[in-house]
Structure formats: C-alpha cells, structure tokens
C-alpha cells in the first residue's frame, strides 16, 4: 500500500451557513470559521472541507453556483477567503473546496446566454431538447425522468419553447459535459482555485456528469433510476482522466467524488490508483439503504448485519489499489447519532461507539460538523420551520397535491430531512447556542442546545468531543 498524506488525515466538513455568524446576518460566515480554527486544530483535524462558498442565489444553499470565482456576499469576501486559507495553512491544516460542476445556477451567466436563443454560442453548454406532444396537443417533457427534488427533471423555457434538463431543482440546469468548451471552463475553475493554494476538491455528484442518452427510465424506484440511468455514464471516466491529466496532476492535492449510483462494481473504476481519476469516492451504500418504495420520505428499518456488510464489502472492494472514504453523515442526511445510534437514553454511549467505528476502519474518516459533540436530529413542529428545498418540494408534491397526512409527512421529515444536519452549530448555552447574536438565525437552533453544546464538553475528559480527540490522536499514532 502506498502512503499518502490524505490517507493519514482526518477531514472535517463545514457547512458554512450553519457554522458561526460573526456579522449578525443570521448566516454563518468565513470569519466565523477563521475564529474557530484553533478549536479544529485542537480536535486533531487535518483537512477542512467547505461546502460551497461561491456566489449563489441559494436555491439549494450554494449547490447552485452563479459565479465559480466569487465568494457569496453573505459569507464574506475573497480577502476573507484568502485570510482563511492562510490561517488553515499556518496551523498545518489543509483546505478542500466543493466543486459543483454537474450543474450551475440558472442565474450563472452561461445559462443566461444559453437560454436566450437557439443559436446562442453558449446554447450547447446545457442540455436542451424538444418536448413531446401529448394526446391533446399539449407540450410534454422529453422523457419521464424525475428530479432528485420532486417533479420532472425537465423545464420548458419560454424563450425558445425547448426544455432543459435539471436533475436537481429547476434552478440547477445540468451542464453538457459532451461539449469540450464546458470541460475547459470547469478545468479553468479547478485551476483557478488550485493556483490559489487550495488542497483539493470534493466533487459534487460527479457520478452524474456523463449522460447515457435520454430514453425513459423503466424503474419505479428512484434509487434504481439513479444507479442504472443517471449515474456512471459512458464517458465519466474519460472526463475525469482528462481533468486529472490536464490540471489536477500538476498539484499535490486530494480529490473525493460524491457518487450517488456508484456501486461496488463501479467504485474501483473511479479510485484505483492506476486509473488516474479520484483518490476516494463517497458511495451511498449505507446512506440510501433505509429508503422505502416511496423514496427517502418513506423510510424502512435497517438491521445491524446489513449495515456492517456495507463497510465490509467496500473494504474488500478496495483491495485492488483503491482507498475508501469513511463517513456516517453529512449535510444531506440525518444526524448519525439519531440515525445509527440512539439520541435518547444511550446518546452519549452510542455517539462514542459510532466515533470508534469511524476512526478504526481503513480509509479516510470524514467528521461532519457537530457530530463530534453528538448533535442530534431536530423535530420542528411545522413545515414553516423548514428551509431545505428538497423537503419543501416533497411537501408540495406529497401533501399539498398528493393529499398525504401532514403529520405523517412531518414524521418522515423528522427522521430523514436534510435540515436535521443543517441546524446551527451548538457552541454554548448562550442564546441561539452562540451561533449568532442576531436573534434571527436563518434556521432555528435545535432546542437541545442547553444540554448538547461544545462549551459543556470541551473540558470534560469523558465527553463525546474528548473521545473524538483521543480517537483521532490514537489513529494517527498507529498508522
Ligand atoms: O440529499 C440526498 C438525499 O435526498 C441526496 O440524494 C443528494 O441529493 C445527492 O447525494 C446529491 O447531493 C449533492 O448534490 C446536490 C445537493 O443538493 C447536495 O447538498 C449535495 O451534497 C445538488 O448539488
């Protein structure tokens, strides 16, 4: 096995919007992260991954990028970013950025141009198709694909009458990676940040960039459509190899690709060392396993043997020269202690047990902000308390249009919703958990903050936080 710094590191994911607000706008910011770098260093973090901080209209909290080279004004300025990067490097840590390149915002200048006319030079930057004609002469989408966030994956655009593809929200049009000019644009973006000194990328839904064609999906379960229709298209490896060859290989950096639809058979093709693609992928073996026939808001129970098998299988799958990422949660999934442990009576013990598991497997562990203090799911009483576009779209489709009982849907959201992981970081028992002094956080704080917070744990040798710190140190002492 070849040694590499990213194999001997612990990554900490920050969701900047929910980390720490220093300006009083109710939204976390870059200076908030800067102010806590010593805390992260003290925990033993080597690499910080920032969820997107680029200019964005925030239809999907920054995963809809309007300008890849600008910092979101709510988060700060490019000068703040440069200071943050220096602060991270000064402490011997590294920084990886989130590269969202399957799609842009519909407010990106490329899309504004692309949608303007059929012969615009940027028309082929995105995926445009004629609609189908319905039985009554009405215009229908080109196929039956659904978006990840409810409703059709196609939107008809007034200017030309054609439809554009959006696998996520209608404000996230998919880029056309078949177009070499698009690949060059993305390579230039990658080069821009690497030249600035960032240490790598987490690549959002990288498994989806190469499309297989546009026939109807025959699958009734959405995860089957992801795996068999949307993901692992015929040119994905070629596109990744090109990006690595032309840009990434010129730097000493790490890459981890997010991979819905990447199964045991495909994983090695993305990460085996002789392939020149990615260092790691995030597979969803354990993340999608509780989705029922109706998808994520129709959850089913999963037993421990099935859960353990995912990790065993993936460990074996890497025997040919690949390396695993290890994670039990992120900004898209419920809190790990609530989902895989117990956030009631056995909160403390199960948070520590999951940490032990995470830190003692082969692979690079990723800690999602707040998991190191045992932050839990939240059960807001009303849909009005929720912010996530996935939850709000599913509410509109299932409850408002579909007639599902609101209480039943909310129960599913309490268990599965992405906002579980997006409530503000719980720094202390001060108002709003010390996240913001504004009195109006962008999303409400979990009401358990007087009990679950960093200040209460930082100096307690038996705390969850102290256990993470010990396990990280132990891991590094025994490569
Ligand atoms: O959130 C999910 C479960 O409902 C996932 O299916 C998720 O949509 C998928 O893993 C892709 O996630 C990534 O891309 C999305 C963005 O909304 C997520 O936050 C991001 O992690 C679109 O950019």
């Amino acid at each position: 096995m070849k040694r590499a710094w990213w194999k001997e590191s612990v990554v900490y994911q920050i969701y900047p919007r929910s980390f720490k607000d220093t300006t009083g706008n109710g939204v976390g910011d870059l200076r908030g992260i800067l102010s806590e770098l010593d805390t992260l260093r003290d925990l033993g973090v080597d690499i910080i991954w920032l969820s997107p901080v680029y200019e964005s209209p925030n239809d999907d909290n920054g995963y809809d990028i309007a300008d890849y080279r600008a910092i979101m004004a709510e988060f700060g300025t490019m000068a703040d970013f440069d200071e943050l990067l220096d602060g991270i490097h000064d402490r011997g840590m590294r920084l990886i950025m989130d590269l969202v390149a399957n799609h842009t915002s519909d407010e990106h200048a490329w899309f504004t141009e692309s949608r303007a006319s059929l012969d615009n030079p940027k028309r082929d930057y995105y995926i445009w198709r004629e609609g189908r004609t319905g039985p009554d002469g009405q215009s229908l989408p080109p196929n039956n694909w659904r978006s990840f966030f409810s409703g059709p994956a196609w939107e008809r655009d007034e200017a030309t009458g054609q439809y554009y593809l959006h696998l996520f929200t209608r404000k996230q049009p998919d880029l056309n990676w078949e177009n070499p000019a698009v690949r060059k644009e993305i390579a230039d973006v990658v080069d821009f940040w690497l030249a600035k000194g960032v240490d790598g990328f987490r690549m959002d839904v990288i498994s989806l960039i190469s499309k297989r064609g546009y026939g109807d999906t025959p699958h009734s379960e959405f995860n089957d459509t992801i795996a068999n229709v949307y993901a692992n298209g015929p040119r994905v490896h070629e596109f990744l190899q090109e990006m690595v060859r032309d840009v990434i290989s010129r730097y000493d950096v790490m890459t981890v690709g997010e991979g819905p639809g990447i199964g045991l058979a495909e994983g090695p093709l993305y990460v085996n060392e002789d392939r020149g693609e990615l260092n790691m992928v995030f597979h969803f073996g354990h993340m999608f396993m509780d989705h029922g026939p109706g998808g994520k808001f129709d959850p089913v129970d999963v037993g421990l043997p099935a859960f353990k098998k995912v990790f065993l299988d993936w460990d074996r799958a890497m025997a040919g020269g690949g390396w695993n990422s290890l994670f039990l949660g992120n900004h898209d999934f419920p809190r790990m202690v609530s989902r895989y442990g117990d956030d009631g009576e056995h909160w403390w013990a199960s948070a520590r047990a999951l940490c032990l598991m995470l830190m003692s497997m082969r692979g690079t562990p990723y800690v999602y902000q707040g998991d190191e203090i045992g932050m839990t799911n939240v059960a807001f009483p009303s849909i009005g308390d929720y912010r996530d576009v996935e939850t709000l779209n599913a509410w509109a489709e299932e409850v408002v249009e579909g007639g599902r009982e609101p209480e039943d849907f909310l129960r599913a959201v309490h268990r599965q919703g992405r906002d579980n992981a997006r409530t503000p970081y719980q720094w202390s028992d001060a108002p709003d958990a010390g996240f913001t002094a504004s009195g109006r956080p962008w999303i409400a704080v979990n009401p358990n903050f007087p009990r679950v917070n960093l200040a209460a744990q930082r100096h307690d040798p038996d705390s969850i936080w102290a256990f993470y710190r010990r396990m990280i140190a132990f891991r590094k002492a025994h490569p």
Side-chain angles (χ1 to χ4, degrees), residues 141 156 161 184 282 289 343 394:
R156 186 172 182 276
K184 177 73 169 63
F282 293 121
M289 67 193 306
D343 60 15

Side-chain angles (χ1 to χ4, degrees), residues 380-387 392 395 410 419 442-444:
F380 292 133
S382 144
I383 190 69
D385 299 319
Y386 286 90
R387 299 288 176 268
L392 300 178
W395 167 273
L410 278 175
D419 282 337
W442 72 275
I443 185 170

Side-chain angles (χ1 to χ4, degrees), residues 373 425-435 445-457:
I373 53 170
Y425 192 93
Q426 293 164 207
W427 295 102
S428 70
D429 62 5
D432 288 322
F435 162 71
V445 172
N446 189 317
N448 68 12
F449 75 88
R451 180 171 59 89
V452 180
N453 66 67
L454 177 66
Q457 296 190 28

Side-chain angles (χ1 to χ4, degrees), residues 15 60 63-64 98 100 103 148-149 168 172 202 204-205 226 258 260 284 288 291 296 330-333 390 418 422:
Y15 195 67
D60 188 20
Y63 284 90
D64 48 322
D98 214 314
V100 188
H103 45 266
F148 277 65
F149 300 148
F168 296 90
Q172 292 170 297
R202 175 266 189 188
D204 192 67
V205 291
I226 297 177
E258 192 211 21
F284 288 119
F288 288 173
H291 293 188
K296 79 177 287 183
N330 61 36
H331 63 291
D332 289 335
F333 294 95
E390 178 185 56
R418 303 199 297 182
R422 299 178 180 186

Side-chain angles (χ1 to χ4, degrees), residues 185-201:
E185 297 271 17
I186 298 300
D188 287 348
V189 167
V190 168
D191 199 35
F192 171 85
W193 290 99
L194 294 181
K196 243 184 187 307
V198 312
D199 303 289
F201 288 97

